[in-house]
Amino acid sequence: MPAFKTLDDLSDISGKRVLVRVDLNVPVSDGKVTDATRIERVAPTILELSKKGAKVILLAHFGRPKDGPSPDLSLSLIAPAVEQVLGHKVASASDCIGPAAAEAVGKMKDGDILLLENTRFHKGEEKNDPAFTKALAENGDIYVNDAFSAAHRAHASTEGLAHLLPAYAGRTMQAELEALEKGLGKPARPVVAIVGGAKVSTKIDLLMNLVKRVDALVIGGGMANTFIAARGTNVGKSLCEHDLAATAKQIMIEAASAGCAIVLPDDGVVAREFKAGAANEVVDINAIPADAMVLDVGPKSVEAVNDWISKAQTLVWNGPLGAFEIEPFDTATVAAAKHAAERTEEGKLISVAGGGDTVSALNHAGVADDFTYISTAGGAFLEWMEGKELPGVAVLEKTA
């Protein structure tokens, strides 16, 4: 992975206006933030800059505004939660460019923190419009990107600003990049990837990339049914993309060519209903009843997955092994997650996980804090796993 400029490369920033791109796209219910994880992730960068005397100006988007400013998508809704997490007063501005932003920035003292309004209230943000980017840059002397989760978008505040101001990676961005480097960049081998979820169609690029980079690929969730069916096995009423049989076969061919072991379930937990506590049974994967659906991998398969985790020095995880939201179909995901956490705590495994369902599943298993790194980035994490260049990251690379 290329070298990046970080906050360690910044000297004497007292009095400097630092534009910090953060991810404040957090869940809100009844006007209150219900999960402040993303705010907590960017707090170290904000507070470090503030303590060094910088004027910290936060740039962020919230939701997907369609026609300009919208009260229910105003960052003023998020400001109280930001203040609470930081333990520091945070001023607000009614716009991110123009007179309102300039006036708010002009009132700042060294160490102050200011939250500008939703960047997506302007069409120029997502279009990476040069005029809009220039208007954003007028309020800053330095640009810091601490929003890896938005780094897969070449927007004005995530990519464009880095061409106009000295650009650096914030602490969260730095931690993410360092963790990803350990995960797939220059990993300790063997490397095992666990990929689950409902559909193969959403993860074709991901699977094609991983089979060339890992030693074993464990496939779980509904997408495993597509691979099982592609081998000619009847999967009953299980979720399955039968039209992707050829794609599944091609992925298995690519894996064989690259020396990557594909690990599919040997047994499954089946039920006739998709509901909590539904009557269920464990069956051999080749004996799925015609009127049943596979909702989790079985105990033999969990043992095989855990054997691979035991062999691995690096684990990359995206997606649950079963329908973990509903008991008892969370059993396999919880068991594998706990085993990976134990290996990590023993210092025998580097474990990197990401993707919305994955974070939820690891929280459900009670092991999220025990993994080496858990990414909250969602789409950016997936695109990184797919081997794609992330515009917001590429622009931070050191040129000399």
Side-chain angles (χ1 to χ4, degrees), residues 2 11 22 27 31 36 43 56 62 72 75 108 149 155 158 166 203 257 273-274 314 323 387:
S11 59
V22 291
V56 186
F62 181 44
D72 61 335
L75 281 172
M108 296 180 77
S149 49
H155 292 172
T158 62
K203 297 187 178 181
S257 175
E273 297 178 279
F274 183 53
T314 303

Side-chain angles (χ1 to χ4, degrees), residues 200 203-212 217 219 226-231 241-262 264:
V200 173
K203 297 187 178 181
I204 293 172
D205 290 346
L206 170 61
L207 297 171
M208 284 292 194
N209 183 50
L210 286 179
V211 296
K212 299 168 187 170
L217 174 60
I219 300 176
T226 301
F227 282 82
I228 293 164
R231 297 188 311 193
E241 295 175 288
H242 292 283
D243 59 325
L244 286 180
T247 301
K249 288 177 181 176
Q250 185 59 41
I251 290 169
M252 289 189 277
I253 290 170
E254 295 281 345
S257 175
C260 170
I262 295 284
L264 291 169

Side-chain angles (χ1 to χ4, degrees), residues 6-16 18 44-56 88 109-112 171:
T6 71
L7 300 192
D8 295 324
D9 297 302
L10 272 173
S11 59
D12 191 19
I13 56 172
S14 180
K16 298 287 188 182
V18 183
T45 292
I46 298 169
L47 293 173
E48 179 178 343
L49 292 169
S50 173
K51 286 174 183 175
K52 289 181 178 178
K55 297 174 181 177
V56 186
H88 193 294
K109 297 187 175 82
D110 294 359
D112 280 358
R171 294 305 184 196

Side-chain angles (χ1 to χ4, degrees), residues 81-242:
V82 176
E83 273 198 346
Q84 185 175 3
V85 170
L86 295 179
H88 193 294
K89 180 174 173 53
V90 177
S92 296
S94 60
D95 203 346
C96 60
I97 59 170
E103 182 181 353
V105 172
K107 292 178 180 177
M108 296 180 77
K109 297 187 175 82
D110 294 359
D112 280 358
I113 300 170
L114 170 67
L115 175 60
L116 298 183
E117 187 53 282
N118 194 338
T119 56
R120 288 189 181 175
F121 281 173
H122 295 267
K123 298 289 187 186
E125 162 70 340
E126 294 184 75
K127 293 179 180 178
N128 204 357
D129 178 69
F132 176 70
T133 307
K134 184 179 179 184
L136 286 175
E138 286 174 359
N139 290 311
D141 304 303
I142 295 165
Y143 169 67
V144 171
N145 191 345
D146 211 28
F148 178 83
S149 49
H152 57 316
R153 307 295 187 211
H155 292 172
S157 67
T158 62
E159 197 268 351
L161 277 171
H163 296 287
L164 300 181
L165 297 172
Y168 302 83
R171 294 305 184 196
T172 299
M173 174 76 83
Q174 179 183 356
E176 190 99 24
L177 295 174
E178 289 172 352
L180 299 187
E181 178 73 354
K182 290 178 181 177
L184 283 183
K186 293 180 180 176
R189 291 190 176 274
V191 185
V192 173
I194 296 176
V195 179
K199 296 183 177 182
V200 173
S201 54
T202 62
K203 297 187 178 181
I204 293 172
D205 290 346
L206 170 61
L207 297 171
M208 284 292 194
N209 183 50
L210 286 179
V211 296
K212 299 168 187 170
R213 303 179 69 174
V214 304
D215 300 293
L217 174 60
V218 176
I219 300 176
M223 61 195 304
N225 299 327
T226 301
F227 282 82
I228 293 164
R231 297 188 311 193
T233 301
N234 189 329
V235 294
K237 292 187 176 180
S238 305
L239 175 65
C240 179
E241 295 175 288
H242 292 283

Side-chain angles (χ1 to χ4, degrees), residues 61-74:
H61 75 275
F62 181 44
R64 295 183 178 276
K66 293 182 180 178
D67 299 306
S70 172
D72 61 335
L73 292 177
S74 170

